[in-house]
Amino acid sequence: MKRLLGKSDAPFQYVDPPDPASEFPQLSEFWQTTEVSGGSFFVNDLFQRKYALDPPGFGHHWVSFYRADSGEYWPVNYIHAREYGPMILIGGVMTDGAAVKKMSEAHREALIDAGGFYYVALRTVFAIMAEQCEAFMGYIGDARSHEVSTAAGFRDTQHPHLVAKFHPAVSAKRQAELLEAALKLGAF
């Protein structure tokens, strides 16, 4: 499906969203990141352990599932994404260490070689949701998350915790407007 991107000073252009599986074909037999309609059904225990809260009841819930050679599968990674005007805000990211330990060593190593659990999941979310926004914004509080987020495509901003990934058609002026809007939100 092609979609017209707008709201920038650049000329309109049509883009085809990339096939997320094409970036990581070596993982397709045992790893999939997909949007689910109810985040709490899949990751409530993980969210409780990490944040002592229930997952948000709104937005987009992206869960990365691992499928073992036995056919059993379980959630390993979670990303919350919500639309805020022309932006998609990324937050509530977590990886279940206990689930990672249950994975086969070969599969764990393949994911690490591909960039890591969060990296692969975030790249997939970027690929699937790219045509739905002018920018992705993330609010990051720790060094490891920052390292992986910027490796996956986020870029630092003038704010120490805010990172951004803009669609290439978005002008510098529009980028500044979007950053200002995101900064007004505070932590998200």
Side-chain angles (χ1 to χ4, degrees), residues 4-58:
L4 183 66
L5 297 173
K7 297 206 178 194
S8 78
D9 294 336
F12 289 109
Q13 63 179 326
Y14 288 95
V15 295
D16 284 316
D19 174 11
S22 66
E23 187 171 0
F24 305 104
Q26 73 278 24
L27 308 178
S28 63
E29 294 299 317
F30 61 88
W31 182 265
Q32 182 168 354
T33 300
T34 190
E35 185 175 7
V36 298
S37 62
S40 62
F41 181 85
F42 296 99
V43 296
N44 193 60
D45 291 342
L46 176 60
F47 222 88
Q48 287 289 337
R49 285 195 312 262
K50 177 138 181 163
Y51 296 116
L53 298 167
D54 291 332
F58 57 89

Side-chain angles (χ1 to χ4, degrees), residues 58-137:
F58 57 89
H60 301 269
H61 305 277
W62 293 91
V63 179
S64 299
F65 291 95
Y66 170 71
R67 183 174 57 205
D69 291 336
S70 67
E72 179 185 13
Y73 64 93
W74 54 85
V76 177
N77 201 84
Y78 174 78
I79 296 175
H80 183 255
R82 72 177 171 124
E83 294 163 353
Y84 183 76
M87 299 177 283
I88 293 179
L89 309 177
I90 303 290
V93 175
M94 60 193 76
T95 300
D96 187 343
V100 170
K101 289 178 184 175
K102 292 179 5 181
M103 295 172 64
S104 78
E105 184 175 344
H107 291 163
R108 257 192 326 268
E109 289 300 317
L111 271 155
I112 291 167
D113 290 346
F117 305 93
Y118 171 46
Y119 174 89
V120 171
L122 186 56
R123 295 285 301 174
T124 302
V125 171
F126 284 164
I128 294 171
M129 297 191 82
E131 67 178 55
Q132 298 174 35
C133 66
E134 291 180 47
F136 292 94
M137 300 287 177

Side-chain angles (χ1 to χ4, degrees), residues 3 7 86 132 142 167 174 176:
R3 179 175 173 184
K7 297 206 178 194
Q132 298 174 35
D142 68 81
H167 188 280
R174 182 67 176 151

